[in-house]
Amino acid sequence: MTDAAGRPLLLRNGRLLDVAAGTYAEEDLLAVDGRIAERGPGVAAPADAEVRDLRGGFVLPGLIDAHVHVTAITADLGSLGTMSPFYVGAHTARIMGEMLDRGFTTVRDVAGADFGIAAAQAEGVIRGPRVFFGGRALSQTGGHGDDRGPGTDELPAWSQSRIADGVDGVRTAARHELRTGAHHIKVMASGGVASPTDRVDSVQYSMAELRAVVDEAQAANRYVCAHAYTARAVNRALEAGVRSIEHGNLMDASSVSLFLEREAFLVPTLVTYWALKTEGREFGLPEGSWRKVDDVLNTGLSALEMAYRGGVRLAYGTDLLGGMHRHQNEEFRIRAQVQPPIDVIRAATSTAAELLCADGQLGTLAAGAHADLIVLDGDPLADIGLLADPAAHMPLVVQAGTVARQR
Ligand SMILES: [Zn+2]
């Protein structure tokens, strides 16, 4: 951290990516008070500005990861409740700082992060991405967010999820999260990998319960995102009015038309399966969970391809846990197997911003937007691998008009 807050930052001679058009403009960019104040050729430097010459560096909007768990300091999620919250918070701060260093200036946390973490980041106490939080996810008893093994009835002291059953129960739970300022409500609408007692192909919550959660979120002008794997689970959630589907690895063509009809988003998280398969056990994933990874590993890429060809709005997500967070940028390389680089970049910028209801504010280099940006030493439209290796190819990260990392 080198710049005093509030000092204007003028970046000269960058190639600024217009994410919508997929083209670059060779211009200067001036950030004042955290926002992009002006851009164009030969922008005049305010007297107190810090001026940097980017020498033709490639400038992209700051990256947005729309599916993270910043409090997932271990892959053994059930053990989080036995840890000191101070210890979890300390590691969360580290994880968030490392995300910022990888170019992620904004994240959407979909279970775990709360108003306290978001406030600490906003106040500058924690160095990290801006956090759009949902608080604790809603899970039915025995659902994906139920951390208990089959031999115990006792709930842990803390969990990334809140167990709620029945229409009244889920309404109350959603209201609790909304009263803390949650940007969205996360529901577990199918089984998952990192849960001890459910099957990946199970569907969770009744339609009445799902509709009640959507109803509560919409009443507060918020939206619902749902963890769902199979077509059955995805389609039920979409029919209930859920706005974003997380994972979706086992969806089919019937889901694609529903996504379009409902103008919903899909947030694939392919890198996490690859990481869980190769390193999961080393970082605490229990054996039973590790065996479930194969069910979803190979289908994820074809689901992404089907959704992409069908025109579904796609946002970038990673869902990494514990020591596997360091693979956050590998998702760029994985998606580029089935999508052109510009579309993968849109997923991590403009489309993610739309999902966050922050289009025009985030995920763009337009004047007026938050001055969040990254600089690459080559053209990611020609080589997406540059984004996958930020330590080597991302010399500068700027957040709110302040240099957050430089090489
Ligand atoms: Zn997740």
Side-chain angles (χ1 to χ4, degrees):
M1 306 287 279
T2 54
D3 301 10
R7 197 175 160 202
L9 177 67
L10 177 59
L11 302 175
R12 291 214 185 274
N13 304 314
R15 286 181 241 212
L16 313 185
L17 180 64
D18 178 333
V19 174
T23 54
Y24 292 100
E26 291 187 38
E27 292 179 2
D28 299 343
L29 182 150
L30 175 67
V32 179
D33 292 335
R35 299 269 176 172
I36 297 173
E38 195 186 341
R39 38 175 294 183
V43 172
D48 56 340
E50 178 191 349
V51 184
R52 285 172 182 250
D53 190 345
L54 300 182
R55 300 164 201 272
F58 292 79
V59 185
L60 275 63
L63 304 174
I64 301 171
D65 190 334
H67 189 123
V68 302
H69 303 282
V70 295
T71 54
I73 70 168
T74 167
D76 183 4
L77 298 176
S79 73
L80 281 176
T82 66
M83 295 179 187
S84 155
F86 303 107
Y87 179 79
V88 175
H91 275 284
T92 295
R94 171 186 55 79
I95 287 169
M96 286 173 59
E98 290 166 356
M99 287 178 169
L100 185 58
D101 290 341
R102 289 188 284 264
F104 290 91
T105 49
T106 299
V107 294
R108 184 179 65 145
D109 189 286
V110 284
D114 68 358
F115 59 100
I117 288 168
Q121 189 280 332
E123 291 166 16
V125 177
I126 291 181
R127 187 181 163 273
R130 305 167 193 280
V131 182
F132 286 68
F133 67 93
R136 289 193 283 165
L138 273 46
S139 170
Q140 68 172 49
T141 294
H144 178 54
D146 191 333
D147 299 325
R148 296 171 295 186
T152 177
D153 286 340
E154 208 148 316
L155 285 166
W158 185 84
S159 165
Q160 296 198 118
S161 300
R162 185 188 277 281
I163 307 296
D165 294 292
V167 167
D168 289 347
V170 297
R171 275 193 195 279
T172 306
R175 288 173 184 176
H176 273 299
E177 297 309 331
L178 290 165
R179 104 189 147 81
T180 69
H183 293 271
H184 53 267
I185 298 292
K186 167 86 174 286
V187 292
M188 303 305 194
S190 87
V193 171
S195 39
T197 62
D198 64 5
R199 293 170 48 96
V200 168
D201 64 5
S202 66
V203 293
Q204 299 180 0
Y205 277 134
S206 66
M207 286 305 289
E209 288 168 314
L210 290 173
R211 287 201 179 100
V213 178
V214 169
D215 193 41
E216 288 301 325
Q218 288 180 348
N221 285 320
R222 294 293 183 262
Y223 70 90
V224 177
C225 55
H227 162 106
Y229 277 108
T230 60
R232 183 162 68 121
V234 168
N235 295 1
R236 291 169 91 247
L238 291 173
E239 271 158 19
V242 162
R243 184 152 176 268
S244 84
I245 297 293
E246 312 301 310
H247 319 301
N249 298 45
L250 303 165
M251 62 179 235
D252 63 22
S254 68
S255 312
V256 171
S257 39
L258 262 176
F259 270 106
L260 300 180
E261 192 185 307
R262 301 296 172 115
E263 298 183 335
F265 294 77
L266 175 64
V267 188
T269 60
L270 303 175
V271 64
T272 199
Y273 312 106
W274 169 80
L276 285 170
K277 183 77 190 177
T278 49
E279 301 179 344
R281 283 179 297 184
E282 182 188 330
F283 289 110
L285 187 74
E287 184 72 26
S289 294
W290 183 77
R291 274 190 249 108
K292 296 203 272 184
V293 174
D294 264 340
D295 296 346
V296 294
L297 180 62
N298 301 317
T299 51
L301 201 60
S302 34
L304 171 66
E305 188 168 19
M306 179 169 44
Y308 173 66
R309 287 174 194 255
V312 175
R313 292 193 285 182
L314 296 159
Y316 190 94
T318 55
D319 199 23
L320 291 160
L321 310 173
M324 293 169 281
H325 273 113
R326 70 186 198 284
H327 300 300
Q328 193 174 18
N329 297 52
E330 191 61 29
E331 181 81 13
F332 282 104
R333 206 172 349 230
I334 295 174
R335 291 193 187 195
Q337 292 173 41
V338 297
Q339 287 187 278
I342 186 63
D343 285 311
V344 188
I345 290 169
R346 285 173 182 143
T349 55
S350 54
T351 311
E354 248 182 274
L355 169 57
L356 268 46
C357 307
D359 31 330
Q361 303 293 310
L362 298 170
T364 172
L365 295 175
H370 288 288
D372 293 357
L373 57 89
I374 59 171
V375 179
L376 296 171
D377 63 7
D379 182 1
L381 302 184
D383 178 10
I384 197 79
L386 299 167
L387 276 166
D389 193 358
H393 297 292
M394 195 184 289
L396 194 66
V397 177
V398 172
Q399 185 187 44
T402 298
V403 172
R405 199 209 82 191
Q406 58 188 324
R407 192 183 58 204

